[in-house]
Amino acid sequence: MTEIATMSFEDAMKELESVVTRLESGNASLEDSIKLYERGAALRAHCEARLREAEERVEKITLAQGQPTGTTKAEGL
């Protein structure tokens, strides 16, 4: 399995959808279901963090006469 921290938002979402599908199918053993749930929770947290980062970057876009002139790095990024 790919290390979650290195995954793009799109790849993490794709894997999260796969995890949800596998859990909803009901075909996984209890132990596998627990592992899938843990992986899904970590993927969800990663996606939320990546979205927050993107939102902060968009909020930091500087405007001059209504046109973007560049971006400023959000604190902590």
Side-chain angles (χ1 to χ4, degrees):
M1 276 192 241
T2 305
E3 178 66 33
I4 293 172
T6 63
M7 295 177 87
S8 69
F9 174 81
E10 293 80 8
D11 289 341
M13 279 298 294
K14 201 175 295 183
E15 185 175 339
L16 180 56
E17 289 171 358
S18 173
V19 166
V20 169
T21 299
R22 290 175 63 194
L23 284 170
E24 287 178 339
S25 75
N27 294 329
S29 68
L30 177 60
E31 187 62 32
D32 286 343
S33 293
I34 292 168
K35 288 178 184 177
L36 285 168
Y37 184 85
E38 291 171 338
R39 178 87 174 163
L43 287 162
R44 181 188 57 82
H46 176 71
C47 288
E48 287 177 349
R50 297 298 300 259
L51 278 176
R52 262 193 318 277
E53 291 170 8
E55 288 171 350
E56 289 173 358
R57 288 182 63 196
V58 168
E59 288 174 2
K60 296 291 180 178
I61 293 174
T62 55
L63 299 175
Q65 298 177 359
Q67 298 297 316
T69 60
T71 60
T72 57
K73 195 169 188 176
E75 294 179 28
L77 297 180

